[in-house]
Amino acid sequence: MSHDDLGPAPIRFLRPPGCGDTVRPMRSPAVHTYVALALHVGGRMRVEHRGEFELRAGHLHIIPAGDPHRVLSASRPEIWGLGFCRTCLDPARYGGLFAPLDRVRGGASPVIELPTARQAYVLDLLRELEREQQAAAPMPVIAESLLALVLAEVVRASGGIQAAPAQRPSLVAEALAMIEARCLGPLSLKEVAAAVRRSPAHVTTAVKQATGRTVGAWIIEGRLAEARRRLVATDEYVDVIAERVGYADPSHFVRLFRRHHGVTPAAWRAQHRRAA
C-alpha cells in the first residue's frame, strides 16, 4: 500500500502523473492520508474501491482518507482533482459539506455523476485551485473557498445517494472517522477501541490490515498534518502548536516531528516559508 501526505498545504490541486495512455493497472491498493476527489473528464477507468466501478467523463470519485483503492484498467483517462486534510479544516465552517464523505464511509457509492451543466464549472474551480497553488504567495482562504464551492457541487449531485439501509459503517471506517474528529485532543488506542466496541488489539489489527497503518500512526498523521499547516500559516511558537495538536510535552512533539520529517518544526517552517 502507498501512503503520502499533502505537505504544508491542507488543500492541494491534484492531477495524477501519467494521465492518458500511460496509466497502468495497480497490483496493490493505494491508501491516502487525505481525502481525494477525482473528476474524470475524459477516457475510461475501471477501479476497485469497495466494489468495482467504471469511471467515465462526468464521474467524480470520492476517496475518504484510509480507503484502499486501485486502478484495474484504463483507456486514455483524463483526471483532475484535489486532496484535502479534513482534520485541518474547521467542521463548523464546512458544516454539511462533508456529508457525502460520511455517506461513502457509511456504505454509499464512492462514485457520483455531476450534472452535465455543472461539469465545466467544477473543472474551472479545479483549474483556479491549480493557479492559486502556483501563485507566488498563495492565500489559504482562497483555497478554502474553492474547496467549499467544489464540495457544494458534490453535495447537490449526491443528494439522492444514501447508504444501504441495513448497512452500518465498518469498524475501520468508524475508527478512522473518530480519529479525524478527535485526534487534535487527547486520544488513545484504548479510547478508539471503546468507541467502536472492540478490543484494542482487534481494532489496531483491523486498521493495519485495511490501511497499512496502525491506529497510533493515524493519530500521529492527523496531528502532524495540522502542525504543518500551522507552521506555515501562523507565527505561533512551536510549543503552542504542540499543545494545539495534542501534545502537552513540546519536546516530545519536536522529537516526533523530526523523526517523521527529518528536521525540527522550526527548521521545517523556515524551509517551506523560503520555498513560498
Side-chain angles (χ1 to χ4, degrees):
M1 295 182 179
S2 64
H3 305 92
D4 44 8
D5 61 52
L6 296 172
I11 304 166
R12 290 190 66 83
F13 167 80
L14 301 174
R15 195 166 184 204
C19 279
D21 293 333
T22 59
V23 172
R24 298 283 185 268
M26 299 164 61
R27 291 185 178 180
S28 59
V31 177
H32 300 151
T33 59
Y34 51 84
V35 179
L37 302 178
L39 175 63
H40 290 249
V41 300
R44 292 176 181 267
M45 178 182 289
R46 191 156 191 82
V47 300
E48 182 180 72
H49 179 194
R50 305 184 185 187
E52 294 186 11
F53 300 88
E54 182 173 90
L55 302 172
R56 59 183 185 274
H59 282 172
L60 189 137
H61 187 188
I62 303 170
I63 310 171
D67 265 24
H69 57 284
R70 67 187 180 108
V71 176
L72 299 175
S73 63
S75 175
R76 302 179 64 83
E78 183 181 355
I79 307 163
W80 293 64
L82 60 82
F84 67 93
C85 167
R86 182 170 176 175
T87 302
C88 304
L89 300 173
D90 182 1
R93 178 177 182 184
Y94 283 82
L97 295 179
F98 288 149
L101 308 178
D102 296 331
R103 288 205 292 265
V104 170
R105 275 207 169 138
S109 170
V111 179
I112 64 172
E113 185 165 7
L114 295 178
T116 302
R118 307 301 290 175
Q119 292 173 19
Y121 171 66
V122 173
L123 184 56
D124 283 343
L125 292 174
L126 296 174
R127 286 175 171 146
E128 192 59 37
L129 180 60
E130 181 184 28
R131 283 191 287 269
E132 177 59 24
Q133 186 171 298
Q134 295 171 347
M139 291 184 280
V141 67
I142 294 178
E144 290 181 16
S145 298
L146 291 168
L147 172 62
L149 291 171
V150 172
L151 289 174
E153 293 299 316
V154 176
V155 168
R156 290 167 182 147
S158 63
I161 295 179
Q162 299 294 333
Q167 191 172 1
R168 62 177 297 166
S170 70
L171 181 155
V172 172
E174 283 190 280
L176 293 178
M178 180 183 183
I179 292 167
E180 279 182 343
R182 292 184 47 189
C183 68
L184 299 184
L187 185 63
S188 66
L189 167 60
K190 184 177 180 180
E191 290 172 305
V192 175
V196 299
R197 301 163 301 283
R198 296 291 191 278
S199 71
H202 183 83
V203 173
T204 202
T205 298
V207 171
K208 179 68 180 292
Q209 288 179 342
T211 72
R213 288 178 181 247
T214 64
V215 167
W218 278 104
I219 292 172
I220 290 171
E221 176 52 39
R223 290 173 172 177
L224 291 183
E226 172 64 359
R228 292 191 298 267
R229 184 193 73 80
R230 288 180 175 274
L231 286 167
V232 170
T234 76
D235 292 319
E236 293 172 339
Y237 291 116
V238 169
D239 57 347
V240 172
I241 292 176
E243 184 178 2
R244 291 188 186 279
V245 302
Y247 295 104
D249 180 357
S251 61
H252 174 65
F253 167 69
V254 171
R255 289 194 301 271
L256 184 69
F257 192 97
R258 181 160 44 194
R259 185 160 69 243
H260 281 257
H261 297 293
V263 295
T264 65
W268 192 93
R269 168 183 267 166
Q271 289 175 1
H272 285 83
R273 287 192 170 178
R274 282 198 302 269

